[in-house]
Amino acid sequence: MKPEDYTLLIVDDNDDNLRMLSLRLVRRGYNVETVNSGKKALEKLERHKYDLILLDIMMPVMDGFEVLTLLRKNYSITDLPVIMATAKDESEDIVKALKLGANDYVTKPIDFPVLMARVQTQLTGKMLSELKDEFLRIASHDLKNPLWSILTASQMIEEIVPTGGIMTEQASKLFAMINRQANLMQQIIADFLDFQAAQDGQLKLNPGAADFNEVARRSVETNTDYAFKKGIKLILELDEQIGIVQADEGRLSQVAQNFVSNAIKFTSRNGGPTVVRTRQAAGNLRLEVIDSGPGLTEEDLTRVFGKYARLSNRPTGGERSSGLGLAICKQMIQLHGGQVGVENNAERGSTFWFSIPVV
């Protein structure tokens, strides 16, 4: 993650120290808030979320030790790292702070490069802890359910079809279910890895000559069987004037297919058509997926591209997803210098779209 993704809180009764540290940390890209007392720090923590606190020990009324003791009742060492600031050679203060739950310390006058190294170390540790927690959540919930279905189906097949026996229609349906659940597990893992790569700045594009209309065409072909099973018609409307562009065709296809499969997922069985359209305007290529679903609420519209967004609508066929697909789509398009968006249609359904500049 980047410095601008983190918000730090500095607590010090010396206004000059607050200004100096705040200015230097802001220049490094961090979001910074400051307070000049322990009481104000605790009040801030009730209303806002912070990624790290730089806490001075020597303060009047409520010193840093008391603040640390109180905040550790609600925040663990990994949830909210705290770096204590103490006078030089005060080893007793350092030991006391670490025993109370401080993650690290710096001595005054503060050596800024040392502080930066310790801030980055603590934020990296926090990120790794959150990554572990997310993986455990996925392993215990998102992967556990489809794995249980696969194991159950395989046991049933063993009972239905003896060794050397002829495949029955029921067993064939169970095999199809195993394939669907395995593909779901694969997609959940791929989404998780892609999202983390994007968070770490490691999600890379492989740009080349890309056929924008082929991206739209492929998204329809890939989802044709899925749409047919739900009684939904896919309509392809291409701007034939669009030619070859410089982009990562594989990543664009990933976004387009996500939009189309979502449109089918949230449209009722035997519902209206889903239209996949390409067009060019104002120096941008735009792909739109216009569905006939229920549309989105105002609250949904504000968070639909967020991480693990849970919308008011539910899949109409019991489908499941990782909750990361649209967040990944947004990051992939932004890497292209483009934009993503969604709006409700005038009569029914919604339109998801992305655009990339013509290069």
Side-chain angles (χ1 to χ4, degrees), residues 58-78:
M58 298 302 295
M59 295 186 294
V61 184
M62 181 183 292
D63 64 20
F65 296 129
E66 188 175 353
V67 175
L68 179 60
T69 300
L70 291 173
L71 70 85
R72 279 292 173 250
K73 292 181 179 180
N74 297 315
Y75 303 94
S76 70
I77 289 177
T78 53

Side-chain angles (χ1 to χ4, degrees), residues 12 99 121 143 145 182 231-232 262 277 286 301 313 320 343:
D12 196 315
K99 286 183 176 180
T121 297
L143 295 180
N145 290 340
I232 297 169
N262 272 354
R277 177 185 298 154
R286 179 170 166 127
L301 291 171
N313 298 325
R320 299 187 61 202
E343 58 251 0

Side-chain angles (χ1 to χ4, degrees), residues 205 207-213 215 242-253 255-256 259 278-288 329-341 353-359:
L205 299 181
D211 188 331
F212 198 74
N213 279 341
V215 168
I242 294 177
I244 304 299
V245 296
Q246 190 74 10
D248 187 329
E249 188 169 312
R251 292 300 192 184
L252 293 184
S253 293
V255 175
F259 283 9
T278 62
R279 59 190 179 92
Q280 183 171 353
N284 290 286
L285 301 183
R286 179 170 166 127
L287 186 146
E288 300 172 342
C329 288
K330 180 178 180 179
Q331 292 168 329
M332 288 179 180
I333 296 303
Q334 288 178 337
L335 285 174
H336 281 87
Q339 295 180 316
V340 296
W353 58 268
F354 71 82
S355 64
I356 61 169
V358 178
V359 180

Side-chain angles (χ1 to χ4, degrees), residues 102-151:
N103 295 69
D104 205 343
Y105 70 93
V106 289
T107 58
K108 290 185 174 182
I110 293 176
D111 185 325
F112 191 72
V114 171
L115 173 63
M116 283 305 307
R118 298 191 173 190
V119 165
Q120 291 165 4
T121 297
Q122 294 303 322
L123 291 176
T124 299
K126 175 181 169 63
M127 181 192 69
L128 291 175
S129 176
E130 291 172 348
L131 182 61
K132 178 205 68 176
D133 291 342
E134 285 192 27
F135 179 77
L136 289 175
R137 184 192 63 77
I138 289 173
S140 64
H141 183 266
D142 293 349
L143 295 180
K144 184 178 180 180
N145 290 340
L147 181 58
W148 180 86
S149 298
I150 290 172
L151 291 173

Side-chain angles (χ1 to χ4, degrees), residues 165-192:
I166 298 174
M167 178 67 67
T168 66
E169 181 180 354
Q170 183 181 5
S172 180
K173 290 180 179 179
L174 288 170
F175 269 120
M177 191 269 284
I178 288 174
N179 186 56
R180 289 195 302 272
Q181 296 298 321
N183 284 332
L184 172 61
M185 293 177 71
Q186 184 182 46
Q187 188 61 55
I188 289 172
I189 294 170
D191 284 350
F192 178 74

